[in-house]
């Protein structure tokens, strides 16, 4: 008997670990689950109109995501200085205007610089502008020798010539397949990007990036309900928008915030927390993004908190293997974007991000759009691959893998032009 209990004690952590590792990839293994009601307040009041959504329920939902999922921002910090460090009226062979702008933040004797790369169409005004982060530096989005190189920490990628966490000339344009800059410009839209590591390097270290600027003397990491990296990145997007409001070349009321994968999670949180973003686009954002957590399909809460302990606030760990205890699910994140245009996209081979969970989330956010007299997502069943469902809430599942491709962008450009022009 004694040995039995000792074996049990030894085996429990192994079993728990296995629970974290085993991913559901088959629809038949999805557990039965019940989603929290987006339109019932904490006091049990049924929310029937825009007024009570905006006054009662929306603030409740936002606060639950702040306290339990992404973490709240521990204070206010405005741009101390913005400097246009490059301006070219004839970029990309003359079709675009290029600008590079450094935003400087100062607090508690610490300073952080964040650099925005902007391409604008010429000869038109008040055009939609896509704003999104990139993974490996602004210079990777297109082969343009004028793009300045970031000095921030970058994840090593020897294939891109990135070693010792520093980028080099070799990585110019390596991510151009994800950024069809010329097509965007020719369509009459603008595009702006920031290297996400300028705001917060993507590693489990709260001693770098924006977080330390907010610490008091005794602090070395955020409190349990304070911002992880995703909230920090989302904060950075809002500061870019602050800058756009001061730039006469840009119509800051027409900014579509966009992101792929972890940066899709970021775009959604930015859109939820900052209602100045006119539209939000989530590309393969998955767990902690558009996908419903309670389905436990692909990446789970426990898995994401284990692999990326710095992305969410510490409180989110409470829900590892306990998704049913979450006071929210991700359809409520999408609902926070209402009534603004929202595009959610998945890919057929991207099971890790749970395409069906992303679709269902968009569907279950739609009742909030309906309060505003809008249809929401104009579909109740998941569409076939490569057959976008187009509405104020749009959705597609592209054939292929986890990526953001020319096909995805073609849909987003059409969407932005229709919704924002
Ligand atoms: C994966 C992670 C996903 C997604 C992805 C990415 O490793 O599990 O949640 O964010 O990275 O950002 O590319």
């Amino acid at each position: 008997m004694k040995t039995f209990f000792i074996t049990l004690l030894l085996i429990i952590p192994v079993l728990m670990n296995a629970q974290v590792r085993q991913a559901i990839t088959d629809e038949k293994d999805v557990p039965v689950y019940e989603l929290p009601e987006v339109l019932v307040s904490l006091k049990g009041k049924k929310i029937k109109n825009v007024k009570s959504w905006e006054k009662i329920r929306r603030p409740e939902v936002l606060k639950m995501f702040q306290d339990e999922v992404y973490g709240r921002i521990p204070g206010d910090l405005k741009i101390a200085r913005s400097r246009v460090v490059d301006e070219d009226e004839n970029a990309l062979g003359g079709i675009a205007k290029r600008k590079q702008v450094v935003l400087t933040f100062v607090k508690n004797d610490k300073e952080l610089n964040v650099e925005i790369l902007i391409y604008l169409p010429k000869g038109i005004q008040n055009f939609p502008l896509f704003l999104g982060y990139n993974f490996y530096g602004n210079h990777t989005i297109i082969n343009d020798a004028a793009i300045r190189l970031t000095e921030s920490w970058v994840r090593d990628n020897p294939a891109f010539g990135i070693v010792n966490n520093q980028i080099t000339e070799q990585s110019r344009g390596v991510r151009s397949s994800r950024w069809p800059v010329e097509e965007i410009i020719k369509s009459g839209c603008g595009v702006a990007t920031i290297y996400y590591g300028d705001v917060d390097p993507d590693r489990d270290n709260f001693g770098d990036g924006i977080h330390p600027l907010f610490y008091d003397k005794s602090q070395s990491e955020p409190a349990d309900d304070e911002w992880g990296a995703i909230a920090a990145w989302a904060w950075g997007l809002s500061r870019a928008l602050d800058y756009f409001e001061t730039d006469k070349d840009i119509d800051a009321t027409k900014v579509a915030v966009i992101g792929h994968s972890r940066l899709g999670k970021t775009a959604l949180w930015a859109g939820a927390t900052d209602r100045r973003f006119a539209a939000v686009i989530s590309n393969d954002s998955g767990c902690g993004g558009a996908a419903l957590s309670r389905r436990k399909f692909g990446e789970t809460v426990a898995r994401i908190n284990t692999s990326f302990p710095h992305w969410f606030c510490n409180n989110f760990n409470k829900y590892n293997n306990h998704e049913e205890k979450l006071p929210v699910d991700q359809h409520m994140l999408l609902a926070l974007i209402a009534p603004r245009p929202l595009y959610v996209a998945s890919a057929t081979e991207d099971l890790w991000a749970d395409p069906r969970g992303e679709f269902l989330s968009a569907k279950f956010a739609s009742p909030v759009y309906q309060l505003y007299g809008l249809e929401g997502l104009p579909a109740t069943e998941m569409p076939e691959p490569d057959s976008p469902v187009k509405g104020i809430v749009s959705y597609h599942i592209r054939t292929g893998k986890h990526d953001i491709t020319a096909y995805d962008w073609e849909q987003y450009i059409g969407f932005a032009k229709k919704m924002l022009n």
Side-chain angles (χ1 to χ4, degrees):
M1 200 62 175
K2 202 172 154 198
T3 31
F4 171 76
F5 278 115
I6 292 173
T7 326
L8 204 64
L9 275 180
L10 290 173
I11 218 168
I12 282 172
V14 178
L15 285 176
M16 285 181 68
N17 222 348
Q19 231 179 339
V20 168
R21 262 185 268 121
Q22 236 170 44
I24 296 177
T25 51
D26 193 329
E27 197 56 34
K28 72 171 174 18
D29 298 328
V30 172
V32 177
Y33 61 92
E34 201 181 325
L35 292 178
E37 292 270 5
V38 63
L39 288 179
V40 177
S41 78
L42 290 175
K43 285 189 178 152
K45 181 176 151 55
K46 184 105 188 75
I47 303 299
K48 292 189 184 136
N49 51 50
V50 170
K51 196 171 159 221
S52 42
W53 165 253
E54 297 211 346
K55 277 198 83 151
I56 302 167
R57 187 56 174 157
R58 190 180 188 280
E60 281 179 1
V61 173
L62 185 63
K63 186 167 181 342
M64 292 188 283
F65 275 108
Q66 270 162 347
D67 292 349
E68 304 296 318
V69 183
Y70 304 100
R72 64 182 175 81
I73 298 165
D76 221 14
L77 183 57
K78 294 193 168 54
I79 301 167
R81 294 185 295 280
S82 65
R83 277 182 304 134
V84 178
V85 288
D86 163 60
E87 204 164 1
D88 183 353
E89 297 286 342
N90 285 302
L92 308 182
I95 63 167
K97 172 167 184 171
R98 187 192 58 241
K99 268 184 164 179
Q100 297 182 75
V101 184
V102 180
L103 307 183
T104 303
F105 301 94
V106 185
K107 197 175 168 106
N108 288 332
D109 299 326
K110 299 186 188 91
E111 193 175 294
L112 186 78
N113 289 319
V114 172
E115 199 148 331
I116 320 176
L117 167 66
I118 310 168
Y119 288 100
L120 305 172
K122 298 205 311 196
I124 50 172
Q125 273 169 351
N126 306 108
F127 43 80
L129 176 78
F130 293 100
L131 168 67
Y133 281 117
N134 62 74
F135 282 84
Y136 286 103
N138 293 347
H139 70 302
T140 59
I141 77 154
I142 187 167
N143 198 346
D144 178 342
I147 301 174
R148 291 154 52 99
L149 302 181
T150 182
E151 285 170 10
S152 303
W153 179 97
V154 182
R155 176 171 311 96
D156 279 347
N157 186 331
F160 289 174
I162 305 171
V163 287
N164 300 324
N165 306 113
Q166 281 298 309
I167 55 158
T168 58
E169 286 288 335
Q170 203 187 318
S171 38
R172 258 184 215 287
V174 289
R175 273 293 165 86
S176 56
S177 75
R178 288 186 168 188
W179 295 89
V181 178
E182 290 192 11
E183 284 73 13
I184 295 170
I185 294 297
K186 285 179 187 157
S187 79
C189 297
V191 58
T193 189
I194 300 169
Y195 167 55
Y196 75 143
D198 276 6
V199 177
D200 189 19
D202 190 1
R203 54 179 172 175
D204 186 16
N205 175 342
F206 283 107
D208 57 14
I210 189 66
H211 292 97
L213 275 74
F214 286 80
Y215 295 158
D216 60 38
K217 291 218 158 48
S218 59
Q219 202 179 0
S220 59
E221 57 180 63
D224 289 348
D225 65 342
E226 285 179 354
W227 52 351
I230 291 174
W233 298 324
W235 174 88
L237 292 170
S238 287
R239 301 295 71 77
L241 193 48
D242 293 346
Y243 165 74
F244 295 156
E245 287 179 338
T246 69
D247 186 325
K248 60 175 179 17
D249 290 334
I250 292 171
D251 182 348
T253 69
K254 289 193 174 178
V255 177
V257 64
I258 181 169
H260 167 63
S261 206
R262 68 197 67 182
L263 301 178
K265 309 181 210 297
T266 302
L268 288 170
W269 185 234
T273 49
D274 192 336
R275 299 177 92 178
R276 294 174 301 166
F277 286 114
V280 182
I281 302 166
S282 151
N283 190 87
D284 304 359
S285 62
C287 179
L292 293 174
S293 302
R294 279 170 175 75
R295 282 170 49 80
K296 304 180 188 179
F297 191 103
E299 188 170 34
T300 60
V301 171
R303 181 60 193 251
I304 205 165
N305 281 331
T306 308
S307 316
F308 306 101
H310 58 295
W311 281 3
F312 300 87
C313 69
N314 278 340
N315 279 343
F316 197 41
N317 286 306
K318 292 193 277 188
Y319 307 100
N320 292 350
N321 302 311
H322 288 293
E323 287 83 351
E324 73 289 350
K325 294 204 173 122
L326 270 166
V328 290
D329 211 318
Q330 300 303 109
H331 63 307
M332 294 158 78
L333 173 68
L334 304 191
L336 292 173
I337 291 155
R340 292 162 292 157
L342 165 68
Y343 202 124
V344 175
S346 317
T348 55
E349 291 169 33
D350 188 19
L351 296 184
W352 190 238
D354 186 14
R356 188 169 169 74
E358 297 185 310
F359 168 79
L360 289 174
S361 215
K363 172 174 157 173
F364 294 133
S366 293
V368 177
Y369 281 82
Q370 286 152 16
L371 290 182
Y372 289 89
L374 298 162
E375 191 184 4
L377 183 72
T380 50
E381 296 301 321
M382 225 172 142
E384 290 300 308
D386 312 316
S387 315
V389 177
K390 297 181 184 176
I392 189 92
V393 179
S394 291
Y395 176 84
H396 75 243
I397 175 162
R398 166 183 51 74
T399 303
K401 61 182 176 59
H402 185 69
D403 195 2
I404 180 166
T405 67
Y407 176 87
D408 296 316
W409 273 103
E410 202 185 308
Q411 314 316 314
Y412 304 149
I413 291 168
F415 173 75
K417 290 184 72 175
K418 182 161 173 217
M419 297 294 168
L420 302 179
N421 272 338

